Amino acid sequence: MTRVREQLEGAIQATLVGLIVVVALVASHIQPWNTPAFRPMRTFVLLELAALAVAYLVVTRAKLRFLPGTLVTAAFTLLALLSVTWSPDPGLTVDRAVGFAALVVAAAALALGAVDRPRVASQLMLALLAATTLVAAAGLVELWHAYDQAVLAATRGQGARYNGIGQNPNQIPMLIALTLPFAIWVVRESRGRLR
């Protein structure tokens, strides 16, 4: 069981990195990643992450408990799924509702799997930091490759703004802002030359 647990931990790390990168690419301005044909990839990777996280809970026999906000999140997820009945575009609503439900399941399972396991929590933080680093590096490559797409042109009231691979200048900086504490944690925990 130890080997299966370790393999699941590695698969979760890789899938979490893949999810962040795929979501960033799907929400970017770069062809062909933001086309309707590629968009289902984010749902596929999200469902894969949810399945791996639930499998990890089963393998580790993690103690199930109510996390803060569980009832509110469950009610909101149920409302999202029920909204299919009055939606003008049921197909799109089902896709979004199932994606949101998978995100909630994945987040809850990852949180429960990391409780009392600091090594697992650190692996998840490193995966998020690695994914953010890849997205930021892709933005720099885009800046080098196509300056006009990576920088939002100046307007009368505002100067030029860097987008990277994002649709707007706020998208990637918000991701970086969320993972900045993880980068500080890595620097603080690192020893020797790595620090």
Side-chain angles (χ1 to χ4, degrees):
M1 275 315 233
T2 302
R3 183 174 179 174
V4 172
R5 179 181 50 80
E6 289 174 354
Q7 287 175 336
L8 278 171
E9 289 170 359
I12 287 170
Q13 269 188 301
T15 306
L16 188 55
V17 170
L19 176 65
I20 301 296
V21 170
V22 165
V23 167
L25 288 173
V26 166
S28 75
H29 61 270
I30 300 174
Q31 296 289 340
W33 310 119
N34 68 346
T35 60
F38 186 70
R39 289 184 191 136
M41 181 60 91
R42 68 180 166 202
T43 305
F44 172 76
V45 177
L46 185 55
L47 290 172
E48 181 182 8
L49 180 63
L52 288 170
V54 169
Y56 184 76
L57 288 180
V58 171
V59 167
T60 59
R61 295 185 180 104
K63 182 181 173 186
L64 299 181
R65 55 185 89 164
F66 276 101
L67 298 169
T70 300
L71 293 177
V72 172
T73 306
F76 189 70
T77 305
L78 182 62
L79 179 64
L81 292 169
L82 287 175
S83 70
V84 172
T85 58
W86 64 79
S87 173
D89 187 354
L92 180 63
T93 305
V94 165
D95 183 43
R96 300 278 166 85
V98 168
F100 181 73
L103 178 65
V104 168
V105 167
L110 291 174
L112 288 171
V115 170
D116 299 328
R117 293 185 180 95
R119 186 178 64 80
V120 173
S122 65
Q123 288 174 339
L124 294 174
M125 289 190 295
L126 286 173
L128 290 169
L129 184 60
T132 304
T133 303
L134 286 172
V135 169
L140 293 176
V141 169
E142 183 67 9
L143 181 66
W144 170 78
H145 173 261
Y147 178 86
D148 291 339
Q149 289 184 355
V151 175
L152 188 66
T155 62
R156 184 175 240 174
Q158 193 170 45
R161 295 178 68 196
Y162 173 73
N163 308 345
I165 64 168
Q167 281 284 5
N168 66 61
N170 299 326
Q171 181 182 341
I172 304 304
M174 285 191 297
L175 175 64
I176 292 170
L178 288 172
T179 57
L180 189 59
F182 302 154
I184 294 169
W185 168 78
V186 166
V187 169
R188 199 176 125 234
E189 294 295 314
S190 299
R191 301 286 179 250
R193 296 183 102 167
L194 181 60
R195 187 172 191 172

Coordinates of all heavy atoms in Angstrom, one line a residue, residues 113-185:
G113 N -6.9 14.8 2.4 CA -5.7 13.9 2.3 C -4.5 14.6 2.9 O -3.6 13.9 3.2
A114 N -4.5 15.9 3.0 CA -3.3 16.6 3.5 C -3.4 16.9 5.0 O -2.4 17.2 5.6 CB -3.1 17.9 2.8
V115 N -4.6 16.6 5.6 CA -4.7 16.8 7.0 C -3.7 15.9 7.8 O -3.7 14.7 7.5 CB -6.1 16.6 7.5 CG1 -6.2 16.6 9.0 CG2 -7.1 17.6 6.9
D116 N -3.0 16.4 8.7 CA -2.0 15.7 9.5 C -0.9 15.0 8.6 O -0.3 14.1 9.1 CB -2.7 14.6 10.4 CG -3.7 15.2 11.3 OD1 -3.4 16.4 11.8 OD2 -4.7 14.6 11.7
R117 N -0.7 15.5 7.4 CA 0.3 15.0 6.6 C 1.1 16.2 6.0 O 0.8 16.6 4.8 CB -0.2 14.1 5.4 CG -0.9 12.8 5.9 CD -1.3 12.0 4.7 NE -1.9 10.8 5.1 CZ -3.2 10.6 5.3 NH1 -4.0 11.5 5.0 NH2 -3.6 9.4 5.7
P118 N 2.0 16.8 6.7 CA 2.7 18.0 6.2 C 3.5 17.7 4.9 O 3.6 18.6 4.1 CB 3.7 18.3 7.4 CG 3.5 17.3 8.4 CD 2.4 16.4 8.1
R119 N 4.0 16.5 4.7 CA 4.7 16.2 3.5 C 3.8 16.3 2.3 O 4.2 16.8 1.2 CB 5.3 14.8 3.6 CG 6.2 14.4 2.4 CD 6.9 13.1 2.6 NE 5.9 12.0 2.6 CZ 5.3 11.5 1.5 NH1 5.7 12.0 0.3 NH2 4.5 10.5 1.6
V120 N 2.6 15.8 2.4 CA 1.6 15.8 1.3 C 1.2 17.3 1.0 O 1.1 17.7 -0.1 CB 0.4 15.0 1.6 CG1 -0.7 15.2 0.6 CG2 0.8 13.5 1.7
A121 N 1.0 18.0 2.1 CA 0.6 19.5 1.9 C 1.8 20.2 1.2 O 1.5 21.0 0.3 CB 0.3 20.1 3.3
S122 N 3.0 19.9 1.6 CA 4.1 20.6 0.9 C 4.2 20.1 -0.6 O 4.6 20.9 -1.4 CB 5.4 20.3 1.7 OG 5.8 18.9 1.6
Q123 N 3.9 18.9 -0.9 CA 3.9 18.4 -2.3 C 2.9 19.2 -3.1 O 3.1 19.6 -4.2 CB 3.6 16.9 -2.3 CG 4.8 16.1 -1.9 CD 4.4 14.6 -1.9 OE1 3.2 14.2 -1.8 NE2 5.4 13.7 -1.9
L124 N 1.7 19.4 -2.5 CA 0.6 20.1 -3.2 C 1.1 21.6 -3.4 O 0.9 22.1 -4.5 CB -0.7 20.1 -2.4 CG -1.3 18.7 -2.3 CD1 -2.5 18.8 -1.3 CD2 -1.7 18.1 -3.6
M125 N 1.7 22.2 -2.4 CA 2.1 23.6 -2.6 C 3.2 23.7 -3.6 O 3.2 24.6 -4.4 CB 2.6 24.1 -1.2 CG 1.5 24.4 -0.2 SD 2.0 25.3 1.2 CE 3.1 24.2 2.0
L126 N 4.1 22.7 -3.7 CA 5.2 22.7 -4.7 C 4.6 22.5 -6.1 O 5.1 23.1 -7.0 CB 6.2 21.6 -4.4 CG 7.2 21.9 -3.2 CD1 8.0 20.7 -2.9 CD2 8.1 23.1 -3.5
A127 N 3.6 21.7 -6.2 CA 2.9 21.5 -7.5 C 2.3 22.8 -8.0 O 2.4 23.2 -9.2 CB 1.9 20.4 -7.4
L128 N 1.6 23.5 -7.1 CA 1.0 24.8 -7.4 C 2.1 25.8 -7.8 O 1.9 26.6 -8.8 CB 0.1 25.3 -6.3 CG -1.1 24.5 -6.0 CD1 -1.8 24.9 -4.7 CD2 -2.1 24.7 -7.2
L129 N 3.1 25.8 -7.1 CA 4.2 26.7 -7.4 C 4.9 26.4 -8.7 O 5.2 27.3 -9.6 CB 5.3 26.7 -6.3 CG 6.4 27.7 -6.4 CD1 5.9 29.2 -6.4 CD2 7.4 27.5 -5.2
A130 N 5.1 25.1 -9.0 CA 5.7 24.7 -10.3 C 4.8 25.1 -11.5 O 5.3 25.6 -12.5 CB 6.0 23.2 -10.3
A131 N 3.5 24.9 -11.3 CA 2.6 25.2 -12.4 C 2.6 26.7 -12.6 O 2.6 27.1 -13.8 CB 1.2 24.7 -12.0
T132 N 2.6 27.5 -11.6 CA 2.6 28.9 -11.7 C 3.9 29.4 -12.4 O 3.9 30.3 -13.3 CB 2.4 29.6 -10.4 OG1 1.2 29.1 -9.8 CG2 2.4 31.1 -10.5
T133 N 5.0 28.8 -12.1 CA 6.3 29.1 -12.7 C 6.2 28.8 -14.2 O 6.7 29.6 -15.0 CB 7.4 28.3 -12.0 OG1 7.4 28.6 -10.6 CG2 8.8 28.7 -12.6
L134 N 5.6 27.6 -14.5 CA 5.5 27.3 -16.0 C 4.7 28.3 -16.7 O 5.0 28.7 -17.8 CB 4.9 25.9 -16.1 CG 5.8 24.7 -15.8 CD1 5.0 23.4 -15.8 CD2 7.0 24.7 -16.8
V135 N 3.6 28.7 -16.1 CA 2.7 29.7 -16.7 C 3.4 31.0 -16.9 O 3.3 31.7 -17.9 CB 1.3 29.8 -15.9 CG1 0.5 31.0 -16.4 CG2 0.6 28.5 -16.0
A136 N 4.1 31.5 -15.9 CA 4.8 32.7 -15.9 C 5.9 32.7 -17.0 O 6.1 33.6 -17.8 CB 5.4 33.1 -14.6
A137 N 6.6 31.5 -17.1 CA 7.7 31.3 -18.1 C 7.1 31.3 -19.5 O 7.6 31.9 -20.4 CB 8.4 30.0 -17.8
A138 N 5.9 30.7 -19.6 CA 5.2 30.8 -20.9 C 4.9 32.2 -21.3 O 4.9 32.6 -22.5 CB 3.9 29.9 -20.9
G139 N 4.5 33.0 -20.4 CA 4.2 34.4 -20.6 C 5.5 35.2 -21.1 O 5.4 36.0 -22.0
L140 N 6.6 34.8 -20.5 CA 7.9 35.5 -21.0 C 8.2 35.0 -22.4 O 8.7 35.8 -23.2 CB 9.0 35.2 -20.0 CG 8.8 35.8 -18.6 CD1 10.0 35.4 -17.7 CD2 8.8 37.3 -18.8
V141 N 8.0 33.7 -22.7 CA 8.2 33.2 -24.1 C 7.3 34.0 -25.0 O 7.7 34.3 -26.1 CB 8.0 31.7 -24.1 CG1 8.0 31.2 -25.6 CG2 9.1 31.0 -23.3
E142 N 6.0 34.1 -24.6 CA 5.1 34.9 -25.5 C 5.5 36.3 -25.7 O 5.4 36.9 -26.8 CB 3.7 34.8 -24.9 CG 2.6 35.5 -25.7 CD 2.3 34.7 -27.0 OE1 2.8 33.6 -27.2 OE2 1.6 35.3 -27.8
L143 N 6.1 36.9 -24.7 CA 6.6 38.3 -24.8 C 7.7 38.4 -25.8 O 7.8 39.3 -26.6 CB 7.1 38.8 -23.4 CG 7.6 40.2 -23.3 CD1 6.5 41.2 -23.6 CD2 8.2 40.5 -22.0
W144 N 8.6 37.4 -25.8 CA 9.7 37.3 -26.7 C 9.2 37.0 -28.1 O 9.6 37.6 -29.1 CB 10.7 36.3 -26.3 CG 11.7 36.0 -27.3 CD1 12.8 36.7 -27.6 CD2 11.8 34.8 -28.2 NE1 13.6 36.1 -28.6 CE2 12.9 35.0 -29.0 CE3 11.0 33.7 -28.3 CZ2 13.3 34.0 -29.9 CZ3 11.3 32.8 -29.3 CH2 12.5 32.9 -30.1
H145 N 8.2 36.1 -28.2 CA 7.7 35.6 -29.5 C 6.8 36.6 -30.2 O 6.9 36.9 -31.4 CB 7.0 34.3 -29.3 CG 6.3 33.8 -30.5 ND1 4.9 33.9 -30.7 CD2 6.7 33.1 -31.6 CE1 4.6 33.4 -31.8 NE2 5.6 32.9 -32.4
A146 N 5.8 37.2 -29.4 CA 4.8 38.1 -30.0 C 4.5 39.2 -29.0 O 3.5 39.1 -28.3 CB 3.5 37.3 -30.4
Y147 N 5.3 40.2 -29.1 CA 5.2 41.3 -28.1 C 3.8 41.9 -28.1 O 3.2 42.2 -27.1 CB 6.2 42.4 -28.4 CG 6.2 43.6 -27.5 CD1 6.8 43.6 -26.3 CD2 5.4 44.7 -27.9 CE1 6.7 44.7 -25.5 CE2 5.3 45.8 -27.0 CZ 6.0 45.8 -25.8 OH 5.9 46.9 -25.0
D148 N 3.2 42.1 -29.3 CA 1.9 42.7 -29.4 C 0.8 41.9 -28.7 O -0.2 42.5 -28.3 CB 1.5 43.0 -30.9 CG 2.4 44.0 -31.5 OD1 3.0 44.8 -30.7 OD2 2.5 44.1 -32.7
Q149 N 1.0 40.6 -28.7 CA -0.1 39.8 -28.0 C 0.2 39.7 -26.5 O -0.7 39.5 -25.7 CB -0.1 38.4 -28.6 CG -0.6 38.3 -30.0 CD -0.7 36.9 -30.5 OE1 -0.3 36.0 -29.9 NE2 -1.3 36.8 -31.7
A150 N 1.4 39.8 -26.1 CA 1.8 39.7 -24.7 C 1.6 41.0 -23.9 O 1.6 41.0 -22.7 CB 3.2 39.1 -24.5
V151 N 1.5 42.1 -24.6 CA 1.3 43.4 -24.0 C 0.1 44.0 -24.5 O -0.1 44.2 -25.7 CB 2.6 44.3 -24.2 CG1 2.4 45.7 -23.7 CG2 3.8 43.6 -23.6
L152 N -0.8 44.5 -23.6 CA -2.0 45.2 -23.9 C -1.6 46.6 -24.3 O -0.9 47.3 -23.5 CB -3.0 45.2 -22.7 CG -4.3 45.7 -23.0 CD1 -5.1 44.8 -24.0 CD2 -5.1 45.8 -21.7
A153 N -2.0 47.1 -25.4 CA -1.6 48.4 -25.9 C -2.0 49.5 -25.0 O -3.1 49.4 -24.3 CB -2.1 48.6 -27.3
A154 N -1.3 50.5 -25.0 CA -1.6 51.7 -24.2 C -2.9 52.4 -24.7 O -3.1 52.4 -25.9 CB -0.4 52.7 -24.2
T155 N -3.6 53.0 -23.8 CA -4.8 53.8 -24.2 C -4.6 55.2 -23.7 O -3.6 55.5 -23.1 CB -6.1 53.2 -23.6 OG1 -6.0 53.2 -22.2 CG2 -6.3 51.8 -24.1
R156 N -5.5 56.0 -24.0 CA -5.4 57.4 -23.5 C -5.3 57.5 -22.0 O -4.5 58.4 -21.5 CB -6.6 58.2 -24.0 CG -6.6 59.6 -23.8 CD -7.7 60.3 -24.4 NE -7.2 61.3 -25.3 CZ -7.9 62.0 -26.2 NH1 -9.2 61.8 -26.2 NH2 -7.4 62.8 -26.9
G157 N -6.0 56.7 -21.3 CA -6.0 56.8 -19.8 C -5.1 55.8 -19.1 O -5.0 55.9 -17.9
Q158 N -4.5 54.9 -19.9 CA -3.7 53.9 -19.2 C -2.5 53.5 -20.1 O -2.7 53.4 -21.3 CB -4.6 52.7 -18.9 CG -4.0 51.7 -18.0 CD -5.1 50.7 -17.6 OE1 -5.8 50.2 -18.5 NE2 -5.1 50.4 -16.3
G159 N -1.4 53.2 -19.4 CA -0.2 52.8 -20.2 C -0.3 51.4 -20.6 O -1.3 50.7 -20.3
A160 N 0.7 50.9 -21.4 CA 0.7 49.5 -21.8 C 0.8 48.6 -20.6 O 1.5 48.9 -19.6 CB 1.9 49.3 -22.7
R161 N 0.1 47.5 -20.7 CA 0.1 46.5 -19.6 C 0.5 45.1 -20.1 O 0.0 44.7 -21.1 CB -1.3 46.5 -18.9 CG -1.6 47.8 -18.2 CD -3.0 47.8 -17.6 NE -3.0 46.9 -16.5 CZ -4.2 46.5 -16.0 NH1 -5.3 46.8 -16.5 NH2 -4.1 45.6 -14.9
Y162 N 1.3 44.4 -19.3 CA 1.8 43.1 -19.6 C 0.7 42.1 -19.3 O 0.1 42.0 -18.2 CB 3.0 42.8 -18.8 CG 3.5 41.4 -18.9 CD1 4.1 40.9 -20.1 CD2 3.4 40.5 -17.9 CE1 4.6 39.6 -20.2 CE2 3.8 39.2 -17.9 CZ 4.4 38.8 -19.1 OH 4.9 37.5 -19.2
N163 N 0.3 41.2 -20.3 CA -0.6 40.1 -20.1 C 0.0 38.8 -20.0 O -0.6 37.8 -19.5 CB -1.5 39.8 -21.2 CG -2.3 40.8 -21.9 OD1 -2.5 41.9 -21.4 ND2 -2.8 40.4 -23.0
G164 N 1.2 38.6 -20.6 CA 1.8 37.2 -20.7 C 0.9 36.4 -21.6 O 0.6 36.8 -22.7
I165 N 0.5 35.2 -21.2 CA -0.4 34.4 -22.0 C -1.9 34.6 -21.6 O -2.8 34.0 -22.2 CB -0.1 32.9 -21.9 CG1 -0.3 32.4 -20.5 CG2 1.3 32.7 -22.4 CD1 -0.2 30.9 -20.4
G166 N -2.2 35.5 -20.7 CA -3.5 35.7 -20.2 C -4.4 36.5 -21.2 O -3.9 37.2 -22.1
Q167 N -5.7 36.4 -21.0 CA -6.6 37.2 -21.8 C -6.6 38.7 -21.4 O -6.9 39.5 -22.2 CB -8.1 36.7 -21.7 CG -8.4 35.5 -22.4 CD -8.6 35.7 -23.9 OE1 -8.4 36.9 -24.4 NE2 -8.9 34.7 -24.6
N168 N -6.3 38.9 -20.2 CA -6.2 40.3 -19.7 C -5.0 40.4 -18.7 O -4.5 39.4 -18.2 CB -7.5 40.7 -19.1 CG -7.8 40.0 -17.8 OD1 -7.1 40.0 -16.8 ND2 -9.0 39.3 -17.8
P169 N -4.6 41.6 -18.4 CA -3.4 41.8 -17.6 C -3.6 41.4 -16.1 O -2.6 41.3 -15.4 CB -3.2 43.3 -17.6 CG -3.9 43.8 -18.9 CD -5.0 42.9 -19.0
N170 N -4.8 41.0 -15.7 CA -5.0 40.6 -14.3 C -5.0 39.1 -14.1 O -4.8 38.7 -13.0 CB -6.4 41.2 -13.8 CG -6.4 42.7 -13.8 OD1 -5.4 43.3 -13.6 ND2 -7.6 43.2 -14.1
Q171 N -5.2 38.4 -15.1 CA -5.3 36.9 -15.0 C -4.1 36.2 -14.4 O -4.2 35.6 -13.4 CB -5.7 36.3 -16.4 CG -5.9 34.9 -16.4 CD -6.2 34.4 -17.8 OE1 -6.5 35.1 -18.7 NE2 -6.0 33.1 -18.0
I172 N -3.0 36.3 -15.0 CA -1.8 35.6 -14.5 C -1.2 36.3 -13.2 O -0.8 35.5 -12.3 CB -0.7 35.6 -15.6 CG1 -1.3 34.9 -16.9 CG2 0.5 34.9 -15.1 CD1 -1.8 33.5 -16.7
P173 N -1.2 37.6 -13.1 CA -0.8 38.2 -11.8 C -1.6 37.7 -10.6 O -1.1 37.5 -9.5 CB -1.0 39.7 -12.0 CG -0.8 39.9 -13.4 CD -1.4 38.7 -14.1
M174 N -2.9 37.4 -10.8 CA -3.7 36.9 -9.7 C -3.3 35.5 -9.3 O -3.2 35.1 -8.2 CB -5.2 36.9 -10.1 CG -5.9 38.2 -10.0 SD -7.7 38.2 -10.2 CE -7.9 37.5 -11.8
L175 N -2.9 34.7 -10.3 CA -2.4 33.3 -10.1 C -1.1 33.4 -9.3 O -0.8 32.7 -8.3 CB -2.2 32.5 -11.4 CG -1.6 31.2 -11.3 CD1 -2.4 30.2 -10.5 CD2 -1.3 30.6 -12.7
I176 N -0.2 34.3 -9.8 CA 1.1 34.5 -9.1 C 0.9 35.0 -7.7 O 1.6 34.5 -6.8 CB 2.0 35.4 -10.0 CG1 2.4 34.7 -11.3 CG2 3.2 35.9 -9.2 CD1 3.0 35.6 -12.3
A177 N 0.0 35.9 -7.5 CA -0.3 36.4 -6.1 C -0.8 35.3 -5.2 O -0.4 35.3 -4.0 CB -1.3 37.6 -6.2
L178 N -1.6 34.4 -5.7 CA -2.0 33.3 -4.8 C -0.9 32.4 -4.4 O -1.0 31.8 -3.4 CB -3.2 32.6 -5.5 CG -4.5 33.3 -5.7 CD1 -5.5 32.5 -6.6 CD2 -5.1 33.5 -4.3
T179 N 0.0 32.2 -5.3 CA 1.1 31.2 -5.0 C 2.4 31.9 -4.5 O 3.3 31.2 -4.1 CB 1.5 30.4 -6.3 OG1 1.8 31.3 -7.3 CG2 0.3 29.5 -6.7
L180 N 2.4 33.2 -4.4 CA 3.6 33.9 -3.8 C 3.9 33.4 -2.4 O 5.1 33.2 -2.1 CB 3.4 35.4 -3.9 CG 4.6 36.2 -3.6 CD1 5.7 35.9 -4.5 CD2 4.2 37.7 -3.6
P181 N 2.9 33.2 -1.5 CA 3.3 32.7 -0.2 C 4.0 31.3 -0.3 O 4.8 31.0 0.6 CB 1.9 32.6 0.5 CG 1.1 33.5 -0.2 CD 1.5 33.6 -1.6
F182 N 3.6 30.5 -1.3 CA 4.3 29.2 -1.4 C 5.8 29.4 -1.8 O 6.7 28.7 -1.3 CB 3.6 28.3 -2.4 CG 2.2 28.0 -2.2 CD1 1.3 27.8 -3.2 CD2 1.7 28.1 -0.9 CE1 0.0 27.5 -2.9 CE2 0.4 27.8 -0.6 CZ -0.5 27.5 -1.6
A183 N 6.1 30.4 -2.6 CA 7.4 30.7 -3.0 C 8.2 31.2 -1.8 O 9.4 30.8 -1.6 CB 7.5 31.8 -4.1
I184 N 7.6 32.0 -1.0 CA 8.3 32.5 0.2 C 8.6 31.3 1.2 O 9.6 31.2 1.8 CB 7.5 33.5 0.9 CG1 7.4 34.8 0.0 CG2 8.0 33.9 2.3 CD1 6.4 35.8 0.5
W185 N 7.6 30.4 1.3 CA 7.8 29.2 2.1 C 8.9 28.3 1.6 O 9.7 27.8 2.4 CB 6.5 28.4 2.1 CG 6.6 27.0 2.6 CD1 6.7 26.6 3.9 CD2 6.7 25.8 1.9 NE1 6.8 25.3 4.1 CE2 6.8 24.7 2.8 CE3 6.7 25.5 0.5 CZ2 6.9 23.4 2.4 CZ3 6.8 24.2 0.1 CH2 6.9 23.1 1.1

